[in-house]
Amino acid sequence: MHEKYKNSYKVSKKELLSLSVYNVGYQKCDSLHQWGPGIRDHFLIHYIISGRGFYETNGKKYSLESGDTFLVYPNQIVTYYADQNDPWEYAWVGFNGSDALAIINATDFSKETPIIKQTAYGEEIRHQFLHIYESRGNEFDHAVEMTGRLYTALALFMKGATIPVRQTSYSSYVQKGIEYISANYSYPITVEDIASYVGLSRSHLFRSFEKVIAKSPKEYLTEFRIKQACNLLEHSDLSITAIANSVGFENNLYFSKAFHKAMGISPKVYKESKTKESPF
């Protein structure tokens, strides 16, 4: 019988917008060890290495064992806990980004069935999760390596998919909107521009975003721009005005207000704090 243990790592900066690792780790749980009820703001996959446990979401309860996998969707209430007599040991990785939903939709996971029983690539998936953990760190090269290994792990779930790619109308609209934002955020685009590109009314686009990612198109656009601004503040010598212009804010005062609301400090203070952190 293995002794209990927990090794986990939480990423403090998510610099890659298409896909970023939020946390990663592996754990041998105590009898009846439980997380939840609660929600996550990102996708979270657990691969069960040994033992048994239970996963509850959307009014359903799943009994899981070694070789099974379960997925937590963002902003959904979940509970999961170890079996009393044979508590599980699992590895996990949490992630999000503009590519995340499209990738998940190409696997056998769905909100209706957020589990995969006895995946054919279990050992490979476990190794990739551990490789992500081994690549941990908050430097940019760590983020790139962790994300690269995450893509490899997710590709295994896609490779093992047994049903055609699902693409609901809501998720396909949101994915198309996110693609437009990713390509055009540096211009003064509006929600109307996004809706026109997707081919929806503004209200229908709003409902699609709220249903799929629990954010409005405007909130997502602003968060995307602020994240890009953080990268530029950390990794460039551009002035704050130039950065505001570069991420689609034509009004420097509005940029500063939006940045402060999102990050809790001004762009100037943020840049100064990151400069002090640098060893060079």
Side-chain angles (χ1 to χ4, degrees), residues 34-40 56 76-81:
Q34 177 173 318
W35 190 91
I39 63 172
R40 304 290 194 179
E56 298 179 4
Q76 285 202 326
I77 298 174
V78 303
T79 302
Y80 47 94
Y81 55 95

Side-chain angles (χ1 to χ4, degrees), residues 125-199:
I125 290 167
R126 183 177 72 86
H127 285 306
Q128 288 303 326
F129 281 16
L130 295 180
H131 286 326
I132 296 170
Y133 181 79
E134 291 166 357
S135 306
R136 66 193 182 277
N138 271 308
E139 299 303 319
F140 190 60
D141 60 322
H142 294 132
V144 171
E145 185 172 358
M146 284 191 293
T147 296
R149 294 188 182 278
L150 174 60
Y151 272 115
T152 300
L154 294 175
L156 292 170
F157 287 103
M158 296 170 66
K159 189 176 180 181
T162 59
I163 59 177
V165 174
R166 299 174 309 277
Q167 194 65 284
T168 66
S169 58
Y170 281 117
S171 63
S172 62
Y173 293 149
V174 171
Q175 186 62 29
K176 193 172 181 181
I178 288 173
E179 289 170 359
Y180 181 81
I181 290 170
S182 299
N184 296 280
Y185 72 91
S186 60
Y187 300 99
I189 59 173
T190 64
V191 174
E192 286 79 6
D193 294 326
I194 303 168
S196 177
Y197 176 81
V198 176

Side-chain angles (χ1 to χ4, degrees), residues 244-256:
N245 292 333
S246 299
V247 298
F249 288 93
E250 292 188 306
N251 185 308
N252 192 38
L253 180 59
Y254 178 61
F255 167 66
S256 294

Side-chain angles (χ1 to χ4, degrees), residues 197-244:
Y197 176 81
V198 176
L200 298 175
S201 67
R202 177 176 176 142
S203 60
H204 195 170
L205 181 72
F206 178 87
R207 287 195 299 272
S208 297
F209 267 73
E210 286 286 341
K211 185 176 182 67
V212 175
I213 62 174
K215 296 176 184 177
S216 71
K218 184 176 181 180
E219 288 173 334
Y220 184 89
L221 173 61
T222 299
E223 287 182 11
F224 195 97
R225 284 170 164 165
I226 295 300
K227 203 163 191 177
Q228 289 285 11
C230 287
N231 286 335
L232 291 174
L233 287 166
E234 291 184 49
H235 303 299
S236 79
D237 294 324
L238 292 173
S239 68
I240 291 173
T241 298
I243 289 173

Side-chain angles (χ1 to χ4, degrees), residues 4-175:
K4 64 182 181 180
Y5 67 82
K6 180 178 182 181
N7 293 286
S8 65
Y9 179 74
K10 185 175 291 185
V11 179
S12 63
K13 297 189 293 183
K14 293 87 178 179
E15 297 186 289
L16 299 175
L17 297 166
S18 56
L19 197 69
S20 283
V21 174
Y22 278 45
N23 51 73
V24 62
Y26 50 102
Q27 181 175 4
K28 172 66 176 177
C29 297
D30 282 331
S31 174
L32 299 178
H33 173 80
Q34 177 173 318
W35 190 91
I39 63 172
R40 304 290 194 179
D41 65 353
H42 54 275
F43 293 94
L44 181 63
I45 295 177
H46 286 74
Y47 172 73
I48 303 167
I49 300 169
S50 64
R52 298 173 179 272
F54 302 90
Y55 177 42
E56 298 179 4
T57 184
N58 283 332
K60 297 180 180 179
K61 180 178 178 179
Y62 302 93
S63 177
L64 303 170
E65 61 185 0
S66 174
D68 295 342
T69 314
F70 67 92
L71 170 66
V72 176
Y73 278 83
N75 305 307
Q76 285 202 326
I77 298 174
V78 303
T79 302
Y80 47 94
Y81 55 95
D83 183 76
Q84 182 173 3
N85 299 317
D86 188 15
W88 56 16
E89 175 185 13
Y90 51 49
W92 76 85
V93 62
F95 59 94
N96 215 337
S98 59
D99 282 350
L101 181 61
I103 293 173
I104 291 300
N105 281 340
T107 72
D108 280 347
F109 289 120
S110 70
K111 287 187 176 180
E112 294 73 30
T113 309
I115 66 165
I116 297 176
K117 300 288 286 184
Q118 299 298 311
T119 174
Y121 298 95
E123 274 302 298
E124 292 178 67
I125 290 167
R126 183 177 72 86
H127 285 306
Q128 288 303 326
F129 281 16
L130 295 180
H131 286 326
I132 296 170
Y133 181 79
E134 291 166 357
S135 306
R136 66 193 182 277
N138 271 308
E139 299 303 319
F140 190 60
D141 60 322
H142 294 132
V144 171
E145 185 172 358
M146 284 191 293
T147 296
R149 294 188 182 278
L150 174 60
Y151 272 115
T152 300
L154 294 175
L156 292 170
F157 287 103
M158 296 170 66
K159 189 176 180 181
T162 59
I163 59 177
V165 174
R166 299 174 309 277
Q167 194 65 284
T168 66
S169 58
Y170 281 117
S171 63
S172 62
Y173 293 149
V174 171
Q175 186 62 29

